[in-house]
């Protein structure tokens, strides 16, 4: 009963925060009538692809417990991210499409590099580095005689015999290798989505600033999708790995294992917080644009 | 100042030639200067809603004319300096184009008019 409340309270807090963010975004959004038809369409496209991506991400998480292989749940958050990134990639490749008999393009070099700067990219990089570090260390430590998905210590008994104490699940190579493979796929899809975001056509009637903002918003959605899956995976690995290590180690090692468990919970919490951070949005009041920056 | 390219899909001039001619004009007029980087083929093709081959052909035309150079991993860079024509001559060109457009001439007709004038001036034609 008490443990049920312990789980329920953080969930209620997260749901409340999510509702507050959604209401805040809706209230502070720039009204449609102040935007051109193309920008309204751009905003709808962004929201739609983001919702599809969230649904696919959620599907990945929901399928994790129902997976047919014992190791599969460990990769499902990353698989969900990969599916969501695929949806975002398709969204960027299929929109917008220039129409009309007269078309204008501003001659300006765009590069993926401009989207790889900023907080979203740094967060994704740190999360990916943490996951790789966790999996490599877990792979090196997970070495019980029966399974490399467990951690073990050998106790010497008073009679001189040796007894192995093993505990799992532990992120050894049995979990680590599939996760690393899917992580590579996620990073590849993220880079493809960013390249598609860079190369896609400019939204007609969008000035240079607005166009760049729309691209940064798309990039933020891609980074957020990847980071969520990576942090959930790293958080679960750290939590279960720390928990397994605590079962077999005492003393300082046990304290370190407890710290690893708490770091894992922190990662899971950070993943939920990242989902609630909105992508860049059109400013509530239109920014006056110099006449020579208005594309037709 | 923003440099742009406008494509008329109904014009008799093929799209790749429209892109090439307008970019060449920007380079000659100094709006695009040596060292400036042109957009990657995919991005400009997406902006104009044409095939990447169309833009690649326009860039090849500029390269053949010595106006740009394409380097692997760097992209397409403007290499030709602006036309040696001074600002006065360029201003006269702008005034001429403005007058011709005000008279109702299409851009292709304006170019034909210039070509006609060049053919009718045997002195400078012989010297070129």
């Amino acid at each position: 009963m008490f443990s049920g409340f312990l789980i329920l309270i953080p969930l209620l807090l997260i749901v409340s925060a999510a509702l507050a963010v959604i209401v805040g975004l809706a209230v502070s959004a720039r009204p449609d009538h102040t935007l051109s038809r193309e920008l309204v369409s751009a905003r709808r496209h962004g929201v739609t692809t983001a919702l599809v991506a969230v649904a696919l991400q959620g599907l990945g998480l929901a399928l994790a417990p129902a997976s047919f292989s014992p190791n599969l749940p460990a990769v499902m958050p990353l698989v969900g991210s990969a599916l969501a990134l695929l949806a975002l990639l398709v969204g960027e490749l299929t929109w917008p499409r220039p129409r009309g008999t007269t078309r204008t393009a501003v001659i300006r070099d765009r590069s993926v590099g401009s989207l790889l700067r900023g907080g979203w990219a740094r967060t994704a990089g740190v999360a990916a580095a943490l996951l790789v570090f966790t999996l490599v260390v877990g792979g090196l430590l997970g070495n019980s005689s029966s399974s490399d998905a467990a951690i073990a210590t050998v106790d010497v008994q008073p009679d001189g015999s040796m007894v192995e104490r093993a505990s799992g699940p532990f992120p050894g190579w049995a979990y680590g290798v599939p996760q690393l493979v899917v992580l590579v796929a996620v990073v590849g899809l993220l880079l493809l989505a960013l390249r598609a975001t860079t190369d896609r056509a400019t939204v007609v009637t969008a000035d240079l600033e607005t166009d760049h903002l729309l691209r940064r918003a798309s990039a933020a959605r891609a980074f957020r999708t990847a980071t969520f899956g990576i942090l959930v995976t790293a958080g679960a690995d750290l939590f279960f790995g720390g928990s397994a290590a605590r079962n077999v180690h005492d003393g300082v090692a046990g304290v370190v294992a407890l710290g690893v468990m708490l770091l894992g919970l922190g990662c899971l919490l950070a993943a939920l917080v990242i989902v609630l951070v909105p992508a860049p949005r059109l400013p509530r009041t239109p920014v006056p644009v110099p006449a020579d920056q208005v594309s037709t | 100042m923003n440099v742009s390219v406008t494509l008329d899909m109904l014009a008799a001039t093929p799209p790749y030639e429209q892109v090439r001619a307008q970019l060449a004009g920007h380079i000659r007029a100094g709006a695009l200067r040596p060292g400036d980087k042109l957009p990657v083929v995919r991005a400009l093709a997406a902006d104009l809603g044409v095939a990447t081959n169309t833009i690649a052909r326009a860039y090849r035309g500029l390269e053949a004319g010595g106006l740009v150079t394409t380097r692997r991993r760097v992209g397409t860079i403007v290499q030709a300096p602006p036309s040696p024509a001074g600002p006065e001559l360029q201003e006269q060109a702008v005034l001429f184009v403005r007058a011709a457009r005000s008279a109702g001439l299409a851009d292709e007709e304006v170019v034909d008019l210039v070509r006609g004038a060049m053919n009718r001036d045997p002195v400078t034609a012989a010297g070129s």
Side-chain angles (χ1 to χ4, degrees), chain A residues 96 98 100-111 195 198-203 208 215 292-294 296, chain B residues 1-10 23 26 32 37-40 42-50 59:
Chain A
T101 54
T102 305
R103 302 166 188 180
T104 299
V106 175
I107 300 301
R108 184 175 56 115
D109 184 41
R110 305 193 289 260
S111 71
R195 202 179 96 163
T198 307
D199 289 349
R200 73 159 166 73
T202 303
V203 175
L208 292 182
R215 287 183 208 280
D292 68 336
Q293 282 194 12
V294 178
T296 53
Chain B
M1 186 184 73
N2 280 330
V3 177
S4 60
V5 170
T6 299
L7 206 56
D8 182 355
M9 302 304 283
L10 298 179
L23 287 175
H26 288 314
L32 290 171
K37 202 172 159 195
L38 296 186
V40 294
R42 290 187 309 274
L44 188 54
D47 278 351
L48 292 171
V50 295
Y59 279 14

Side-chain angles (χ1 to χ4, degrees), chain A residues 223-234:
Chain A
F223 278 122
R224 185 172 56 195
T225 301
T227 307
F228 175 78
I230 292 170
L231 277 178
V232 168
T233 307

